[in-house]
Amino acid sequence: MKIRAGLVIALALAGSLGAGPQVSAQAPYPHKPIRFIVPYPPGSATDMTARDVGQLYSKALGQPVVVDARPGAAATLAHALVAKSQPDGYTLLLATTGGLVSGPALLGSRIPYDPLKDFATIA
């Protein structure tokens, strides 16, 4: 019985030692530039707001924040782009009522995303 308990403890310790390097090998967020999608053209009030916020994020996070203007289709193009991106925190959206409320209300089922399910609010 004592040998069996010792074997279980040894296997548990060996398993925990093997998991250590895997966890420490992951780079902390963020480890690459962040893409900030804006649903309106460069020079618009929304674009200028995104650039100001992007600078604040860049200073706080220590990574560049690239503002990417994607205007069109009542802001739904930008929202669709972000909805289809990897949910890894490296593609952010300056969400607007155009893409989350007006566009879906006017275009209905033709919107390629669900404004309630495809986005996570971070700020």
Side-chain angles (χ1 to χ4, degrees):
M1 188 74 166
K2 288 183 181 181
I3 294 174
R4 187 175 222 179
L7 182 60
V8 169
I9 292 171
L11 288 173
L13 286 174
S16 67
L17 291 175
Q22 293 172 347
V23 173
S24 64
Q26 294 176 351
Y29 177 85
H31 62 274
K32 63 182 184 178
I34 297 167
R35 187 176 176 198
F36 197 12
I37 307 293
V38 180
Y40 294 99
S44 66
T46 308
D47 178 68
M48 291 187 288
T49 299
R51 292 180 190 284
D52 288 342
V53 171
Q55 285 180 352
L56 294 173
Y57 281 0
S58 183
K59 285 181 187 177
L61 298 173
Q63 284 292 335
V65 175
V66 179
V67 176
D68 185 357
R70 295 295 178 118
T76 60
L77 292 179
H79 287 72
L81 175 68
V82 174
K84 293 176 186 175
S85 69
Q86 291 292 323
D88 58 5
Y90 289 96
T91 303
L92 305 179
L93 170 69
L94 184 63
T96 65
T97 56
L100 296 177
V101 180
S102 303
L106 295 172
L107 299 172
S109 63
R110 292 181 289 172
I111 294 287
Y113 57 89
D114 184 328
L116 298 176
K117 295 179 183 175
D118 291 340
F119 303 98
T121 304
I122 59 169

